[in-house]
């Protein structure tokens, strides 16, 4: 009897080993394929946004270190183009396709085609909605992004003291794109913290527009933020200064900065302006004192996490996951790895950005 049990255990063990050696792409491929380089197709929303250029560079070099090769596609912000590019990557028989979607809701059919072809799909930074065709999600803790921006506003504006004194500060909101699931998470995290200050009148939004739909800026457009801010100043802040621009993107912060300069704001009444992504220009603006903060997302960490995810998927093992609750895409809750975002401002930029080698001193000081 013991022998039979031992034999069955051995057979099961062999099956597990064989499954874990199954090459990434299923169907008609031999064990030899496993010795080949892992082939990753990576489909980007657009490189107009500075952040995605950094993500591309660091992802490609990290993948190389792991012996994988990456076929990078750039959809230039066009959803139809991104669909075509995903189909191209399917035709090229990638082992894994990593997607930074231009629209969280419109790629369902394309990723399902990948799944049908036996190709694993990983969502990178932005979640893909309404499909079970995604295996994993590698991102930053998006709700935490909103929370830390809100806490930064409270600290920088000394809102608890303002509240005690029975005073108030004015605030306007520049929220993310409604076709990006992250934008809702940023808003939720931010409002959870700021709402009580709005409810008791410590924060006053003179435009009266603070719901997500009223404040979302489509396609993360810097130009639209640059048009919106002067309109707000013109209509609601003729007699009183705007104290806080609550923005969730460095691009929006630039638009606000230009509008405020044009409206005659100076060092004396310069508002708090927040951002996200720690773009080079944003870091320079922080050093100059014309942007208060940004959210530093170390793309090196995200790339590393995602590449190890790809590796695990291709080797039949389970990647490291630290969230199995937050990211329900209306069909499944996608197992995720969330990296930690960090606020940067004039006080910690040296330590967090320069000392860590994210940007060099020369880059930050240069034109
Ligand atoms: C979000 C991303 C942010 C920012 C924004 C605009 O999805 O999480 O870091 O880059 O898109 O590209």
């Amino acid at each position: 009897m013991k022998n039979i049990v031992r034999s069955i255990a051995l057979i099961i063990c062999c099956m597990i080993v064989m499954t874990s050696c199954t090459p990434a792409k299923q169907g008609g491929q031999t064990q030899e394929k496993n010795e080949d380089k892992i082939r990753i197709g990576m489909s980007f929303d657009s490189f107009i946004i500075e952040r995605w250029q950094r993500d591309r560079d660091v992802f490609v070099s990290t993948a190389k270190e792991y012996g994988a090769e990456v076929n990078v596609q750039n959809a230039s912000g066009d959803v139809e183009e991104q669909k075509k590019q995903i189909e191209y990557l399917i035709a090229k028989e990638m082992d894994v396709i990593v997607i930074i979607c231009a629209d969280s809701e419109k790629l369902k059919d394309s990723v399902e085609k990948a799944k049908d072809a036996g190709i694993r799909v990983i969502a990178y930074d932005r979640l893909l909605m309404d499909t079970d065709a995604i295996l994993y999600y590698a991102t930053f803790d998006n709700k935490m992004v909103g929370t830390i921006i809100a806490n930064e506003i409270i600290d920088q504006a000394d809102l608890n003291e303002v509240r005690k004194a029975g005073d108030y500060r004015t605030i306007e909101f520049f929220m993310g794109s409604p076709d990006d699931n992250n934008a809702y998470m940023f808003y939720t995290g931010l409002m959870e913290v700021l709402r009580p200050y709005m409810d008791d009148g410590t924060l006053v939004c003179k435009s009266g527009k603070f719901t997500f739909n009223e404040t979302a800026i489509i396609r993360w457009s810097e130009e639209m933020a640059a048009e919106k801010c002067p309109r707000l100043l013109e209509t609601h802040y003729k007699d009183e200064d705007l104290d806080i621009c609550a923005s969730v993107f460095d691009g929006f912060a630039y638009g606000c900065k230009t509008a405020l300069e044009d409206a005659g704001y100076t060092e004396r009444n310069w508002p708090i302006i927040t951002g996200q992504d720690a773009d080079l220009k944003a870091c320079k603006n922080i050093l100059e004192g014309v942007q208060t903060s940004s959210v530093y997302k170390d793309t090196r960490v995200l790339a590393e996490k995602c590449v190890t995810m790809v590796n695990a998927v291709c080797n039949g093992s389970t990647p490291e996951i630290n969230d199995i609750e937050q990211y329900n895409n209306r069909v499944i809750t996608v197992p995720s790895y969330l990296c930690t975002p960090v606020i940067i401002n004039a006080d910690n930029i040296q330590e967090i950005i320069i000392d860590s080698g994210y940007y060099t001193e020369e880059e930050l000081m240069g034109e």
Side-chain angles (χ1 to χ4, degrees):
M1 183 65 181
K2 255 192 194 161
N3 280 346
I4 296 176
V5 172
R6 220 178 271 142
S7 307
I8 293 174
L10 199 66
I11 291 168
I12 293 173
C13 274
C14 286
M15 282 170 68
I16 292 171
V17 171
M18 279 167 68
T19 325
S20 69
C21 288
T22 303
K25 226 181 89 33
Q26 293 151 348
Q29 290 186 358
T30 62
Q31 189 97 11
E32 265 165 39
K33 172 82 186 162
N34 212 31
E35 274 132 40
D36 289 343
K37 281 191 171 173
I38 294 172
R39 299 172 72 225
I40 308 170
M42 194 166 197
S43 171
F44 277 90
D45 166 8
S46 156
F47 292 133
I48 293 170
I49 288 173
E50 189 186 306
R51 169 175 174 193
W52 304 124
Q53 300 173 26
R54 280 197 303 280
D55 284 73
R56 171 199 57 204
D57 295 347
V58 73
F59 189 95
V60 170
S61 62
T62 311
K64 237 185 216 157
E65 283 165 25
Y66 278 78
E69 60 185 26
V70 191
N71 183 325
V72 174
Q73 299 289 316
N74 170 20
S76 305
D78 180 338
V79 182
E80 292 311 312
E81 186 58 31
Q82 190 161 36
K83 287 182 186 169
K84 278 190 217 145
Q85 293 179 347
I86 293 170
E87 282 174 29
Y88 166 81
L89 293 170
I90 297 171
K92 285 272 171 198
E93 301 190 329
M94 295 291 132
D95 294 310
V96 178
I97 300 181
V98 175
I99 300 174
I100 298 92
C101 58
D103 187 314
S104 288
E105 300 189 343
K106 299 220 173 99
L107 295 179
K108 173 182 180 319
D109 293 346
S110 311
V111 295
E112 283 172 4
K113 281 183 194 160
K115 186 186 175 194
D116 292 344
I119 298 175
R120 277 77 159 199
V121 177
I122 294 179
Y124 183 98
D125 197 86
R126 298 175 176 165
L127 187 60
L128 287 147
M129 304 301 284
D130 304 313
T131 177
D132 67 356
I134 310 150
L135 218 48
Y136 296 108
Y137 180 33
T139 189
F140 285 87
D141 188 330
N142 290 303
K143 191 170 170 217
M144 191 191 283
V145 168
T147 310
I148 61 179
I149 293 176
N151 284 328
E152 174 73 358
I153 289 173
I154 292 174
D155 287 351
Q156 296 283 350
D158 220 355
L159 280 192
N160 291 324
E161 288 307 312
V162 171
R163 178 187 257 167
K164 267 194 220 147
D167 204 354
Y168 69 90
R169 294 291 178 264
T170 55
I171 186 166
E172 294 295 338
F173 297 90
F174 301 80
M175 294 294 114
S177 187
D179 56 13
D180 179 350
N181 185 62
N182 288 358
Y184 296 91
M185 313 278 296
F186 301 152
Y187 179 81
T188 307
L190 182 99
M191 272 304 173
E192 225 168 67
V193 179
L194 293 187
R195 196 63 205 232
Y197 294 86
M198 298 185 67
D199 288 346
D200 71 8
T202 309
L203 283 175
V204 175
C205 174
K206 293 184 77 179
S207 70
K209 293 194 163 76
F210 54 83
T211 64
F212 178 76
N213 287 340
E214 287 168 331
T215 54
I217 298 178
I218 186 77
R219 301 258 67 243
W220 297 97
S221 160
E222 184 176 330
E223 293 70 31
M224 284 180 78
E227 282 165 26
K228 173 182 159 156
C229 192
R231 268 203 312 273
L232 287 170
L233 295 175
E234 182 65 24
T235 320
H236 304 284
Y237 296 90
K238 276 231 174 290
D239 311 323
E240 182 174 17
D241 291 340
L242 171 60
D243 300 316
I244 304 162
C245 295
S247 128
V248 292
F249 178 42
D250 286 339
F252 300 160
Y254 309 150
C256 292
K257 173 181 172 280
T258 310
L260 290 155
E261 278 163 356
D262 292 349
Y265 279 72
T266 62
E267 216 173 296
R268 188 191 53 80
N269 58 352
W270 195 255
I272 289 164
I273 308 178
T274 60
Q276 176 178 197
D277 279 353
D279 282 351
L280 186 59
K281 182 167 159 188
C283 290
K284 289 182 178 186
N285 285 347
I286 290 174
L287 288 171
E288 269 175 46
V290 287
Q291 182 170 326
T292 311
S293 65
S294 186
V295 175
Y296 167 58
K297 293 165 132 178
D298 191 339
T299 45
R300 297 167 297 189
V301 177
L302 181 60
E304 174 89 33
K305 288 293 167 197
C306 191
V307 172
T308 51
M309 228 173 218
V310 169
N311 234 352
V313 158
C314 291
N315 292 322
S317 57
T318 311
E320 191 187 350
I321 291 305
N322 63 7
D323 185 277
I324 48 163
E325 279 169 12
Q326 281 194 68
Y327 290 97
N328 186 292
N329 73 355
R330 297 190 284 253
V331 176
I332 52 166
T333 301
V334 186
S336 309
Y337 189 92
L338 312 185
C339 306
T340 308
V342 176
I343 273 286
I344 53 156
N345 53 33
D347 295 335
N348 66 5
I349 193 165
Q350 171 74 36
E351 179 196 335
I352 300 207
I353 298 292
I354 305 173
D355 297 351
S356 80
Y358 198 67
Y359 298 129
T360 62
E361 203 135 17
E362 292 69 46
E363 281 175 309
L364 276 174
M365 300 309 163
E367 279 307 299

